[in-house]
Amino acid sequence: GRVDIYYEVAVLSHYLASPREGHLEAAYHVFAYLKSHPKFSIVFDPKDTTLDEGAFANVDINEWKEFYGDVAEELPSRMPEPLGNAVDITCFVDANHAGNVVTRRSHTGILIYVQNAPVLW
């Protein structure tokens, strides 16, 4: 997929049921961009990235324990020992709840990395 037009296409898709001329004009802009950038690609940096955890809200663990209690992940009793190196999975999610002032629709974005490579967006 083309990550560079992901947001624009997602926003335009909100108006598929009843598009207006302005939406068609915006779609033409997306096509013009694609025509002028036919071989756009993502370049991956193999170095490990550092995550600034100070940029995220600090949530007290006790707030979660109120809701979830002392739950623990259940593992199968006959589960084999893991082999190989550990896998690093990172997920980022953001949502704009009812951000569209006309339709009151929301937009949600998700980005999942496995070993610092995006696999789902």
Side-chain angles (χ1 to χ4, degrees):
R2 294 285 302 254
V3 180
D4 51 335
I5 61 168
Y6 174 78
Y7 180 76
E8 289 78 8
V9 172
V11 170
L12 282 174
S13 70
H14 288 199
Y15 302 98
L16 287 175
S18 57
R20 309 266 181 164
E21 286 184 26
H23 302 123
L24 181 61
E25 190 66 33
Y28 286 150
H29 282 279
V30 172
F31 284 117
Y33 174 81
L34 288 173
K35 187 175 182 180
S36 64
H37 298 83
K39 295 185 178 182
F40 186 81
S41 62
I42 300 175
V43 178
F44 296 105
D45 188 355
K47 296 182 288 189
D48 282 339
T49 58
T50 57
L51 182 62
D52 178 17
E53 294 185 16
F56 298 96
N58 189 9
V59 178
D60 185 16
I61 191 75
N62 292 322
E63 291 181 32
W64 291 99
K65 285 195 175 195
E66 265 182 44
F67 185 76
Y68 289 106
D70 289 328
V71 297
E73 182 179 3
E74 292 184 31
L75 300 175
S77 60
R78 296 177 47 195
M79 185 178 87
E81 278 297 313
L83 301 176
N85 298 328
V87 175
D88 183 34
I89 300 174
T90 307
C91 177
F92 298 97
V93 179
D94 192 18
N96 179 1
H97 296 288
N100 187 323
V101 295
V102 176
T103 63
R104 304 307 296 166
R105 290 186 179 177
S106 303
H107 183 80
T108 303
I110 184 169
L111 182 58
I112 298 177
Y113 289 89
V114 176
Q115 299 298 86
N116 295 326
V119 294
L120 179 69
W121 55 85

